[in-house]
Amino acid sequence: MNMIVCVKQVIDPEAPPASFKIDAATNSVVPPAGVPPVISPFDEQAIEAALRIKDAKGGKITVISLGTGLLRDVVKKPLSMGADELILLEDPAFDGGDSWSTAAALAAAIKKVGEFDIVFCGRQAADWDSGQVGSGIAEILGLPSVTLAKKVEVGDSKVTVERVIPDGYEVVEVGLPALITVSNELGEPRYATIKGIMSAKRKEPIIWAPADLEIDTAQIGAAGRRVKMLRLFQPVREGACEIIEGEDEADAGANLAAKLAEVKLL
Amino acid sequence: MADNKGVLILAEVVDGKLAAIATELLGVGRKLADDLGEELGALLVGSEVSGIAQEAIAFGADKVYVVEAPALKDYRTDSYVPVVEKVAKEVMPKILLMGQNSVGRDLAPRAAFRLETSVSTDCVELAIDADSKQLLMTKPVYGGNARAIYTTESMPQMATLRVKAGEPLERDDARKGEVVNIDAGLDESAIRTTVKDTVLEEIKGIKLEDANIVISGGRGIGGPEGFQELEELARMLKGAVGASRPPCDSGWVPDTIQVGLTGKIVSPDLYIAVAISGSSQHLAGCGGSKNIVAINRDPEANIFKEAAYGVVGDWKKIIPAFKEKAKGLLA
Ligand SMILES: Cc1cc2nc3c(=O)[nH]c(=O)nc-3n(C[C@@H](O)[C@H](O)[C@H](O)COP(=O)(O)OP(=O)(O)OC[C@H]3O[C@@H](n4cnc5c(N)ncnc54)[C@H](O)[C@@H]3O)c2cc1C
Ligand SMILES: Cc1cc2nc3c(=O)[nH]c(=O)nc-3n(C[C@H](O)[C@H](O)[C@H](O)COP(=O)(O)OP(=O)(O)OC[C@H]3O[C@@H](n4cnc5c(N)ncnc54)[C@H](O)[C@@H]3O)c2cc1C
């Protein structure tokens, strides 16, 4: 089984909301001081989905990440979890793109990798939360796609995917090759092993520039953008919280019920 | 670009009726169409949906495009994408809107790439720029910590609208509109996925999305037993129980009751967040509630910034006393 997983480095989405700052003048996010970036959590789950298949059936996992300022310790994490190869699309020309140009560049890289049975993506990147690069890659490469997977099982020439729907899940069968996006219901990604960390340290990523791909530079990065961001802002939080007190915690709880009844919320 | 005209929304049907999101899209779409001075169309796709066309008109559509085929009964990526492609090419709307729900999340991106246009997903506000006449698409990003306003030159301008972010119009059965049938032209051999089974979580009591009172528990609840206590309280208050993500991920409660960016969106009159810190991703699903009440032992927890009322302390002491008092008050 040859698998490709697309992972994105993002600002840690679990950093406390109070640490989140933007620079309004440049419409950009100021990375919080002292909080290192991470692989977008759903992408780690995508790696986990691929690793479970590798555990069961064997195979090779190639990881692709597009971005600038990619920290080696961060983007090598999939290798330390058990992935085999890391390709970085790390070139200023890929930068400042939107979902369209990002999908175009990743699709070109996947084509260059050549042999694959499954492409995995996360359901959405934890920074821009757009949730479309996966479907975009599938459309560009003409692959069937199944989004929001919570379980992926490989049979002969097809996969069975449990796909999350609002009140449960669907069991979907799709032929290979296919693109699958992974949701958190898949379960916790595994930890890196010491052995994995050691071998990841020694492994150098492969770096591809636009010239290495069969793609027109007008289609990638900022040049290929179809969506323009006019403004980035932080919504103002209004409203003050009335703290209900009491003689002790239980009393405060009773007072809360009385208050809610008084304002007709109960 | 000059040839594209009007607003088209995907009108989803649930249990033989317009889905709530469809009426919300019609409400938002009506305003956009009026601001452009153009028509509002609704696209109905399914196996037996033509009977619902009049309902779409009553909620604001000028024209309803009906695409019917047995294979369209349930949503499949490979059957719906070509339908949207065909209709978009025939109708040539300036704006094409869908809901940010199970269908829209899957369909909109793929249809946008097929149509060689773009889509801005999960918008909470859509407006027409007075000068450029372009669609301004406002979307929460970074889990809700910030908002971005996007525009696009590519046609149609596509967006998905967050559930409950739009206001439906008052239903008016006297409204007149036109119904247009469009042939599905489906090639069923091009459908590459098969649904073998659908497994639904059994819903006890009131549906989370419809409840007027929601009591949600977070990581600080500590296990499934604690949720039983919330469950009892919810039954007493005729509300429903929700959760932040960690209790779902830990298997204390079903995944289907997760509230947030990647879970359910609720907007009850009263949302009681118990032992939930108030991450931006969680607030994305409950920020629209009329009143948030926070119970948390950490006075610095972010949830207090969003709450109207709060109690600082251990929920294990607060909830039983709250329940006891409320029981007396409701009696
Ligand atoms: C300075 C700046 C300006 C920007 N301006 C705009 C703008 O004007 N318009 C606009 O639309 N967006 C803009 N963006 C956001 C844009 O870069 C998004 O990150 C891009 O649209 C990719 O989409 P997404 O992150 O929302 O991915 P999603 O569609 O949410 O990602 C889904 C999945 O695709 C894969 N994936 C996504 N990105 C990558 C990647 N880089 N490498 C590997 N895999 C990946 C992952 O598996 C991920 O889980 C800007 C960003 C920056 C930093
Ligand atoms: C892309 C993305 C999407 C996400 N989508 C969602 C989503 O849809 N929904 C969601 O909820 N999360 C989502 N998350 C996760 C989110 O970032 C947070 O991790 C999560 O919401 C935290 O849940 P919590 O508040 O229950 O836990 P914590 O942040 O750990 O907070 C627990 C709280 O309980 C309090 N507490 C502990 N014990 C007690 C006690 N005995 N009495 C009173 N208070 C107590 C603590 O003070 C603390 O404030 C998403 C994350 C990402 C990156």
Side-chain angles (χ1 to χ4, degrees):
Chain A
M1 219 14 82
N2 284 308
M3 294 169 282
I4 296 176
V5 188
C6 298
V7 310
K8 185 181 189 186
Q9 173 181 301
V10 299
I11 290 177
D12 188 348
E14 302 272 356
S19 70
F20 187 85
K21 296 275 169 327
I22 59 167
D23 177 0
T26 56
N27 270 349
S28 60
V29 178
V30 184
V35 184
V38 296
I39 297 282
S40 183
F42 299 119
D43 301 356
E44 274 196 23
Q45 269 141 344
I47 297 280
E48 177 62 31
L51 286 168
R52 287 181 192 171
I53 292 170
K54 188 179 162 182
D55 290 346
K57 302 256 164 180
K60 181 178 174 197
I61 301 174
T62 304
V63 178
I64 308 181
S65 190
L66 177 155
T68 45
L70 300 174
L71 299 185
R72 293 306 184 257
D73 279 353
V74 174
V75 290
K76 278 188 172 182
K77 185 166 178 194
L79 293 177
S80 60
M81 290 164 72
D84 301 281
E85 208 77 71
L86 175 64
I87 298 168
L88 300 180
L89 307 184
E90 196 182 33
D91 188 286
F94 290 122
D95 205 21
D98 61 3
S99 306
W100 179 277
S101 48
T102 303
L106 289 170
I110 290 166
K111 241 195 220 154
K112 184 171 162 108
V113 171
E115 270 183 31
F116 62 87
D117 302 293
I118 306 178
V119 179
F120 283 107
C121 283
R123 64 173 287 175
Q124 69 198 63
D127 48 4
W128 299 92
D129 291 317
S130 146
Q132 46 177 313
V133 167
S135 297
I137 291 170
E139 185 59 33
I140 294 169
L141 296 176
L143 299 171
S145 53
V146 182
T147 54
L148 305 187
K150 63 175 236 168
K151 189 167 178 195
V152 185
E153 261 173 2
V154 177
D156 302 325
S157 76
K158 61 178 184 234
V159 272
T160 306
V161 182
E162 289 181 8
R163 172 175 193 268
V164 177
I165 54 174
D167 294 316
Y169 62 91
E170 297 178 325
V171 183
V172 182
E173 224 173 62
V174 63
L176 296 174
L179 183 137
I180 296 169
T181 78
V182 175
S183 189
N184 58 288
E185 288 85 352
L186 185 102
E188 287 290 308
R190 67 194 60 190
Y191 291 106
T193 58
I194 300 288
K195 193 167 146 250
I197 294 171
M198 297 307 287
S199 77
K201 268 218 162 58
R202 286 191 301 270
K203 190 163 269 164
E204 279 313 308
I206 300 162
I207 296 177
W208 285 345
D212 296 313
L213 307 179
E214 269 177 50
I215 193 163
D216 182 352
T217 46
Q219 280 187 44
I220 57 170
R225 222 152 57 187
R226 288 166 181 244
V227 173
K228 189 164 122 201
M229 189 164 66
L230 285 186
R231 208 176 139 218
L232 185 67
F233 64 101
Q234 277 180 281
V236 262
R237 307 236 182 270
E238 77 251 27
C241 179
E242 183 180 331
I243 299 289
I244 310 291
E245 320 243 7
E247 279 166 30
D248 54 20
E249 286 162 308
D251 191 38
N255 290 343
L256 175 66
K259 180 78 201 184
L260 294 182
E262 182 195 321
V263 295
K264 306 226 155 25
L265 283 172
L266 283 190
Chain B
M1 171 167 170
D3 299 345
N4 290 71
K5 249 187 157 43
V7 179
L8 181 64
I9 66 116
L10 178 73
E12 270 177 71
V13 176
V14 174
D15 299 332
K17 283 200 338 219
L18 272 190
I21 183 68
T23 60
E24 291 157 17
L25 284 164
L26 284 167
V28 170
R30 183 70 264 163
K31 171 91 176 55
L32 298 175
D34 289 343
D35 287 353
L36 288 169
E38 293 172 11
E39 261 179 5
L40 172 63
L43 169 58
L44 276 173
V45 186
S47 63
E48 282 170 39
V49 291
S50 52
I52 297 151
Q54 190 52 45
E55 200 183 335
I57 293 166
F59 277 104
D62 298 312
K63 229 181 210 172
V64 181
Y65 301 95
V66 179
V67 184
E68 280 184 318
L72 295 171
K73 182 166 177 292
D74 296 311
Y75 173 76
R76 299 287 155 258
T77 315
D78 284 343
S79 55
Y80 273 55
V81 172
V83 167
V84 170
E85 180 191 13
K86 185 165 188 268
V87 173
K89 286 183 174 160
E90 279 183 43
V91 177
M92 299 266 283
K94 202 175 264 176
I95 295 174
L96 175 56
L97 306 178
M98 301 180 190
Q100 174 75 358
N101 58 4
S102 192
V103 170
R105 276 194 163 106
D106 190 82
L107 174 60
R110 192 130 194 178
F113 275 79
R114 175 91 36 109
L115 290 166
E116 303 203 341
T117 182
S118 66
V119 58
S120 293
T121 55
D122 203 16
C123 294
V124 291
E125 231 182 284
L126 296 166
I128 302 293
D129 184 83
D131 299 326
S132 68
K133 299 284 173 210
Q134 279 187 327
L135 182 64
L136 300 174
M137 301 170 279
T138 306
K139 150 190 180 49
V141 293
Y142 284 83
N145 279 315
R147 286 184 175 190
I149 304 179
Y150 293 120
T151 58
T152 183
E153 308 248 312
S154 52
M155 286 286 154
Q157 304 165 84
M158 280 180 71
T160 64
L161 180 70
R162 182 174 284 189
V163 170
K164 297 188 172 148
E167 198 60 53
L169 298 176
E170 197 78 49
R171 181 181 178 135
D172 175 5
D173 285 306
R175 272 187 61 95
K176 295 262 174 303
E178 190 187 337
V179 180
V180 182
N181 287 298
I182 296 183
D183 180 46
L186 268 190
D187 169 11
E188 285 184 39
S189 68
I191 303 175
R192 295 166 289 183
T193 56
T194 3
V195 175
K196 291 282 171 191
D197 199 3
T198 302
V199 182
L200 295 179
E201 191 72 44
E202 196 195 332
I203 302 164
K204 307 170 241 146
I206 302 166
K207 243 182 131 183
L208 183 54
E209 304 93 304
D210 303 335
N212 282 324
I213 298 181
V214 172
I215 302 157
S216 280
R219 198 197 309 265
I221 295 296
E225 308 75 29
F227 272 92
Q228 269 163 26
E229 253 191 276
L230 301 187
E231 200 69 65
E232 279 165 33
L233 179 59
R235 250 198 312 276
M236 198 180 98
L237 301 178
K238 300 196 173 54
V241 170
S244 63
R245 198 170 91 182
C248 302
D249 282 351
S250 308
W252 304 343
V253 291
D255 295 324
T256 47
I257 68 164
Q258 178 181 320
V259 171
L261 182 66
T262 50
K264 300 240 149 92
I265 309 261
V266 300
S267 55
D269 293 330
L270 178 60
Y271 187 84
I272 308 182
V274 190
I276 290 178
S277 64
S279 68
S280 50
Q281 294 91 355
H282 183 74
L283 291 166
C286 63
S289 307
K290 315 274 178 313
N291 294 278
I292 295 180
V293 170
I295 297 174
N296 197 303
R297 68 175 175 202
D298 173 10
E300 299 299 318
N302 193 60
I303 189 76
F304 289 115
K305 296 206 175 74
E306 301 287 330
Y309 303 99
V311 178
V312 180
D314 184 355
W315 71 268
K316 291 193 192 99
K317 303 218 173 68
I318 296 165
I319 289 291
F322 177 88
K323 199 182 330 178
E324 205 42 48
K325 179 79 181 180
K327 199 169 172 185
L329 290 167
L330 292 175

